[in-house]
Amino acid sequence: MKHFINSTKGVSCRMDRSYEYLEARPSPQLDIYYGRLSELDEYVSLLQNVLGDDENRRVQQLRNRNDKHVYILSHSLLRFLLAGKLDRDPYNIVFMHDKNGRPYMPGGELFFNISHTKYAFSIAIARTYVPGIDIERIDRNIDHDQIASNYFSYSEVDYIAGDTRRRNAFYMLWTRKESLLKSIGSGIVTDLTRVEVSGDKNILPSVLFPHDKFSPVFEKYFIYSLELDDHYLSVTIPEKRNLEVVRFSCSMINDVVGAVKKEFVN
């Protein structure tokens, strides 16, 4: 199953001193994926053996079964996707982390981002820039009004209050912020209220993202959001384009994994 997002449905964010930042080259390849644990749980045992040592240590640290299985699915499928696109052995793919903790592949052949919740996960892969992606479950037990009052701007709080589906509006804005920060590579900034994403055109304070600390930072970003079942997904990229979100199915996993194993795994 595929979900399409027209480029006109996104919002933009621009640095307030854009002349200090780069303009992105369009990516010849941009792939977005979404998967649900309830539909893919049977593949956990099949995929786990492709993970690296660091990933296996992380799995052992997770106590919740769902967290473990979503982590295994998302990180192993990332390896198989990258292997298929680069004609590489998934077992030999190496991940490193930059000075701000963002994972990457040495060599810069492909850039990726990954996000997961207890019940679902998402992956973004691009050729010429780091995409940002965030997925969150629409949790009805969380006091979203309290969180918004601490981390959202006045205009964002008003935006949520004026929406008939306030909780959904909250998660749309939250995933927008997270995916934007992940694309920039900054992590959580000191004052999230200054990172506004509720308008069609938003201005980002460049003082929060000094170009000598986060490199490369682009002068503008575009954020696309999609409600998928009981989750919200947002993708941030530094170019305006149509998006296609591919939902993992059993047959798709068989194809992706089977093609790579046929080439590299005895």
Side-chain angles (χ1 to χ4, degrees):
M1 182 185 300
K2 298 179 180 180
H3 304 268
F4 297 94
I5 309 176
N6 192 283
S7 62
T8 60
K9 300 297 184 181
V11 301
S12 66
C13 296
R14 179 184 291 272
M15 293 291 173
D16 59 7
R17 301 176 65 182
S18 60
Y19 60 86
E20 292 186 352
Y21 297 89
L22 300 176
E23 184 171 349
R25 291 186 295 115
S27 179
Q29 182 178 27
L30 176 64
D31 299 302
I32 313 295
Y33 304 92
Y34 161 70
R36 293 183 64 85
L37 176 61
S38 60
E39 299 169 356
L40 307 174
D41 200 25
E42 64 185 275
Y43 287 91
V44 170
S45 58
L46 171 68
L47 297 172
Q48 184 170 5
N49 66 344
V50 78
L51 297 179
D53 292 339
D54 289 343
E55 292 163 318
N56 280 314
R57 279 192 290 269
R58 177 58 180 156
V59 171
Q60 295 306 314
Q61 293 170 356
L62 297 172
R63 296 183 179 182
N64 182 276
R65 174 192 178 278
N66 289 345
D67 291 339
K68 285 177 178 283
H69 285 198
V70 168
Y71 185 95
I72 292 168
L73 285 169
S74 57
H75 287 258
S76 59
L77 285 172
L78 172 64
R79 283 181 171 271
F80 276 106
L81 289 169
L82 293 173
K85 296 176 188 299
L86 295 172
D87 195 25
R88 298 262 293 276
D89 185 339
Y91 292 89
N92 295 332
I93 289 177
V94 176
F95 296 122
M96 300 184 71
H97 292 81
D98 65 19
K99 59 183 178 181
N100 297 310
R102 184 169 58 178
Y104 70 95
M105 291 178 61
E109 297 172 275
L110 282 176
F111 302 93
F112 66 89
N113 205 229
I114 189 170
S115 179
H116 37 73
T117 70
K118 188 173 291 187
Y119 304 102
F121 62 92
S122 54
I123 298 170
I125 301 174
R127 281 278 178 187
T128 59
Y129 51 70
V130 180
I133 195 165
D134 188 59
I135 187 170
E136 300 289 343
R137 181 170 177 262
I138 303 173
D139 193 335
R140 305 195 179 279
N141 297 317
I142 289 179
D143 187 349
H144 65 275
D145 288 329
Q146 180 62 41
I147 297 174
S149 67
N150 291 327
Y151 299 106
F152 287 15
S153 69
Y154 291 123
S155 62
E156 290 172 330
V157 171
D158 289 342
Y159 179 92
I160 293 172
D163 197 295
T164 57
R165 303 167 73 220
R166 294 173 61 189
R167 193 178 303 276
N168 295 60
F170 166 83
Y171 279 101
M172 182 181 70
L173 296 187
W174 185 263
T175 57
R176 281 182 183 179
K177 284 180 186 274
E178 288 278 4
S179 68
L180 171 65
L181 296 177
K182 291 175 75 175
S183 183
I184 294 174
S186 65
I188 298 297
V189 297
T190 54
D191 189 357
L192 271 177
T193 64
R194 300 181 65 188
V195 182
E196 294 194 80
V197 293
S198 60
D200 291 335
K201 297 181 179 180
N202 306 276
I203 302 298
L204 298 174
S206 56
V207 67
L208 295 178
F209 310 105
H211 62 281
D212 58 339
K213 184 177 181 181
F214 309 111
S215 180
V217 177
F218 300 105
E219 66 178 59
K220 54 188 175 183
Y221 292 86
F222 298 88
I223 311 175
Y224 303 94
S225 300
L226 183 66
E227 189 173 347
L228 294 162
D229 305 310
D230 52 349
H231 287 76
Y232 240 106
L233 172 72
S234 285
V235 180
T236 297
I237 55 176
E239 64 167 318
K240 187 175 184 179
R241 67 187 290 170
N242 297 330
L243 294 188
E244 180 180 282
V245 180
V246 178
R247 183 166 178 162
F248 278 111
S249 63
C250 293
S251 61
M252 179 183 172
I253 290 181
N254 288 332
D255 291 342
V256 170
V257 175
V260 173
K261 282 194 170 184
K262 182 178 179 180
E263 182 71 21
F264 295 101
V265 183
N266 295 324

